[in-house]
Amino acid sequence: MRFLGRRQLIVAGIIGSIAAWFASTRATARTFGDIGELRESVMAAARAAPGVTKVVADPDNAAQFTSTIGEETVTSDVTNLFGYLSANPDENADEAIARFVRSMAESLSRAISDDIIVPVIRTRDYVQDAARRGQELLHEPIGADLVVVYMADRPDSMAPIGVKDLPGRALEDVRKTALANLRKSLPKLVEDDGLGFGMLYYVDDNPMLSPSLLLLDEFWESIAARFPGDVLIALPRKDQLFLFADDPKHATGARRLIEVTIEEDFNLLSPQLHARRGGRIVAVSE
């Protein structure tokens, strides 16, 4: 799930709080002392939502609960929502919760039109976790531990597409459609050199597509003047893409960036440092 609104990324320094880079112009008096308190508020909103007939807290996980919508059961986890609201203390919490609840119903939609199919970067572990839950995701590897998972980009959610959701559709055709939709995001590309030794790239208004920029030749062509050769790639979060010159001294800083993100424990994507060498995505060893 993604929690959007117009956001601006502000680089505060590599040792600073990564999550605190997000700023918001909307104010709210609501705060949550812990994730369990937030879950209670989300569950209350879910119970009031049209079509929801039952909401039950998970007794073993303070972040999760299940909802019955029609004849379907949805399992939800508020971990990322809690991280988002903690990182954005001025965010309108009620609006964020409302988006979260709407995304629950969206996740049940089986209607997937071509205009909402997008490629999203995830790790092999993400696909394997889905498989253990009985979900066969439409995906393909791109190098090292990274994979492209094809998703439906709906107003309040980014939902993975299962193999059964597009019966008879060739993967090559889905890939072509998804990349065409991703290209529409290029005019919204934002770059920030606040780190001083690397660049942060993100897609304004749809940051969950930021790591996916790696898939576009047009993106690499647009930054060729700044990065004419091989590059180091850090993907600490699902909404961030960091690039650095392929140099050992930059690798140290990039790894520290990843470590800080893991410490923040918000919206994590990959702890692995990657590189693009000779046009291929590879893992970078110590």
Side-chain angles (χ1 to χ4, degrees):
M1 297 178 183
R2 70 167 191 243
F3 306 100
L4 300 180
R6 190 172 181 82
R7 295 180 292 172
Q8 178 183 12
L9 290 173
I10 302 173
V11 178
I14 191 168
I15 307 301
S17 167
I18 300 298
W21 291 3
F22 285 98
S24 172
T25 59
R26 293 175 293 182
T28 178
R30 297 195 66 188
T31 58
F32 302 92
D34 56 44
I35 201 166
E37 184 180 343
L38 173 61
R39 182 179 70 172
E40 289 303 313
S41 293
V42 174
M43 289 174 59
R47 290 188 181 100
V52 177
T53 57
K54 187 177 182 181
V55 179
V56 179
D58 185 329
D60 300 317
N61 188 322
Q64 293 186 358
F65 66 94
T66 59
S67 305
T68 302
I69 305 175
E71 297 181 355
E72 302 277 355
T73 298
V74 178
T75 298
S76 301
D77 190 309
V78 302
T79 301
N80 281 342
L81 177 60
F82 183 73
Y84 175 73
L85 291 174
S86 297
N88 296 271
D90 293 330
E91 177 64 66
N92 186 313
D94 291 324
E95 289 185 8
I97 290 172
R99 290 195 298 270
F100 186 96
V101 172
R102 289 195 301 269
S103 73
M104 290 162 40
E106 284 184 354
S107 69
L108 297 178
S109 175
R110 298 294 185 262
I112 301 175
S113 58
D114 278 6
D115 62 317
I116 65 171
I117 298 175
V118 292
V120 180
I121 304 297
R122 291 292 184 263
T123 63
R124 191 182 303 114
D125 287 344
Y126 178 90
V127 175
Q128 292 173 345
D129 286 343
R132 283 192 285 270
R133 297 193 301 270
Q135 297 175 285
E136 186 181 2
L137 303 184
L138 195 61
H139 73 283
E140 56 186 321
I142 60 171
D145 64 329
L146 299 179
V147 299
V148 177
V149 177
Y150 294 100
M151 296 196 181
D153 185 9
R154 297 191 172 95
D156 293 295
S157 67
M158 189 77 80
I161 298 173
V163 172
K164 296 179 180 179
D165 293 327
L166 297 175
R169 189 81 176 265
L171 182 59
E172 181 179 356
D173 183 39
V174 175
R175 181 194 310 124
K176 181 178 179 181
T177 298
L179 290 177
N181 289 332
L182 177 61
R183 289 188 183 94
K184 298 174 185 177
S185 299
L186 284 174
K188 299 179 181 179
L189 175 64
V190 179
E191 56 183 32
D192 193 320
D193 63 357
L195 279 176
F197 67 101
M199 289 292 295
L200 164 65
Y201 295 94
Y202 65 96
V203 176
D204 193 25
D205 285 340
N206 200 346
M208 287 298 180
L209 293 179
S210 303
S212 305
L213 295 167
L214 297 176
L215 304 172
L216 295 179
D217 291 338
E218 294 89 341
F219 169 71
W220 293 109
E221 292 166 2
S222 72
I223 65 171
R226 185 176 186 93
F227 295 103
D230 296 338
V231 297
L232 296 174
I233 302 168
L235 300 170
R237 275 187 13 191
K238 297 171 184 174
D239 51 7
Q240 299 173 333
L241 167 61
F242 291 93
L243 298 183
F244 313 86
D246 194 357
D247 185 295
K249 66 181 180 182
H250 292 153
T252 300
R255 286 194 175 93
R256 179 56 184 147
L257 177 70
I258 294 172
E259 290 172 1
V260 170
T261 306
I262 292 174
E263 291 167 6
E264 292 290 340
D265 192 25
F266 172 52
N267 220 11
L268 301 179
L269 177 50
S270 175
Q272 173 69 54
L273 182 62
H274 299 87
R276 186 176 188 260
R277 294 171 176 165
R280 296 177 58 248
I281 304 296
V282 298
V284 178
S285 58
E286 295 293 337

